[in-house]
Amino acid sequence: GAVVSQHPSRVICKSGTSVKIECRSLDFQATTMFWYRQFPKQSLMLMATSNEGSKATYEQGVEKDKFLINHASLTLSTLTVTSAHPEDSSFYICSARDRVSGNTIYFGEGSWLTVV
Amino acid sequence: AQKITQTQPGMFVQEKEAVTLDCTYDTSDPSYGLFWYKQPSSGEMIFLIYQGSYDQQNATEGRYSLNFQKARKSANLVISASQLGDSAMYFCAMREGRYSGGSNYKLTFGKGTLLTVNP
């Protein structure tokens, strides 16, 4: 089946630095990908919709300058957490829809970010 | 108001027995889709089953079936013959709107149910 891959799976960065997380659709093209954030023992909250070739659409309350999203190709979207702070520590996970297979929305493996 | 409600924070089931995880939803859009995902402790979200609002029959995928009651706006997940590996967090999610445009594939999630399968 379709696979969405995220990298890195775990990252530790120092406060004030930036970190980039990649989301790739491995065997299908995804014009739209989605980025979610999940705090421990909580549900997934949509952060933004990543659109290939255009600007991302951010959900209310999500700082677009803080969480930079770039959808450079039909198979790659990146999320960059800029000037990271400890409160940005979280689980970030992306999803994409395979138009060919229809309704299924696939998720990446997720990325655990720890800011120290 | 919450769009997806999962009222069971935790559930326990004996191995080989069936278990039902509850999910109710709220939408005024006639076109929507309902998903169930399994999230083990590793964090990955594993797609289990999908039900479209216009689907006439309840969805089934192996040991998973979705009890779709449209008038009651419920989409309960039934897992038959539970296995130890089924122990995980289970999320119900909804997509609203027609398929036009990829943006309609953003999902709203419930708070999840932690299922524990006992040997």
Side-chain angles (χ1 to χ4, degrees):
Chain A
V3 177
V4 176
S5 178
Q6 263 184 259
H7 177 81
S9 57
R10 291 183 180 274
V11 58
I12 300 173
C13 71
K14 291 185 177 181
S15 186
T17 63
S18 297
V19 61
K20 180 186 288 187
I21 301 170
E22 293 185 348
C23 178
R24 294 181 184 273
S25 55
L26 295 186
D27 54 1
F28 66 97
Q29 293 184 336
T31 54
T32 306
M33 293 183 176
F34 303 91
W35 286 96
Y36 294 82
R37 183 176 182 175
Q38 185 181 28
F39 290 106
K41 300 187 187 300
Q42 294 190 23
S43 187
L44 279 73
M45 297 298 295
L46 180 67
M47 297 175 65
T49 302
S50 173
N51 305 300
E52 189 267 336
S54 64
K55 292 183 179 179
T57 305
Y58 290 83
E59 295 299 302
Q60 191 173 9
V62 177
E63 298 176 60
K64 59 182 67 176
D65 295 331
K66 174 77 171 172
F67 300 100
L68 300 180
I69 291 173
N70 184 18
H71 198 139
S73 74
L74 286 172
T75 59
L76 174 64
S77 174
T78 60
L79 168 68
T80 302
V81 183
T82 63
S83 187
H85 291 283
E87 57 265 31
D88 298 326
S89 298
S90 185
F91 183 66
Y92 294 88
I93 190 166
C94 67
S95 73
R97 173 197 169 208
D98 177 8
R99 290 183 295 176
V100 173
S101 69
N103 300 312
T104 307
I105 299 172
Y106 295 96
F107 280 81
E109 307 95 327
S111 300
W112 296 91
L113 170 63
T114 303
V115 184
V116 298
Chain B
Q2 287 188 23
K3 290 198 171 186
I4 295 287
T5 302
Q6 294 180 253
T7 57
Q8 307 151 317
M11 286 283 285
F12 292 89
V13 65
Q14 286 297 121
E15 193 178 6
K16 299 181 184 177
E17 292 186 352
V19 63
T20 298
L21 305 184
D22 295 341
C23 173
T24 57
Y25 58 93
D26 182 27
T27 181
S28 58
D29 199 312
S31 179
Y32 54 90
L34 298 158
F35 299 76
W36 276 93
Y37 288 88
K38 171 185 177 181
Q39 187 179 44
S41 57
S42 58
E44 59 184 311
M45 294 288 285
I46 301 169
F47 167 76
L48 297 178
I49 199 166
Y50 169 84
Q51 180 85 42
S53 59
Y54 295 117
D55 293 344
Q56 295 296 314
Q57 293 188 330
N58 287 349
T60 59
E61 290 284 350
R63 294 187 298 112
Y64 305 106
S65 61
L66 200 151
N67 184 3
F68 181 47
Q69 298 189 38
K70 195 170 183 177
R72 297 176 60 182
K73 293 189 175 180
S74 76
N76 298 340
L77 176 71
V78 180
I79 305 175
S80 63
S82 296
Q83 302 172 356
L84 295 178
D86 293 336
S87 293
M89 196 74 169
Y90 287 80
F91 288 98
C92 179
M94 178 172 65
R95 169 199 59 78
E96 293 177 279
R98 300 191 64 83
Y99 295 160
S100 57
S103 60
N104 286 339
Y105 274 78
K106 58 183 179 181
L107 299 178
T108 302
F109 283 84
K111 293 188 175 182
T113 296
L114 181 61
L115 176 66
T116 303
V117 180
N118 294 318

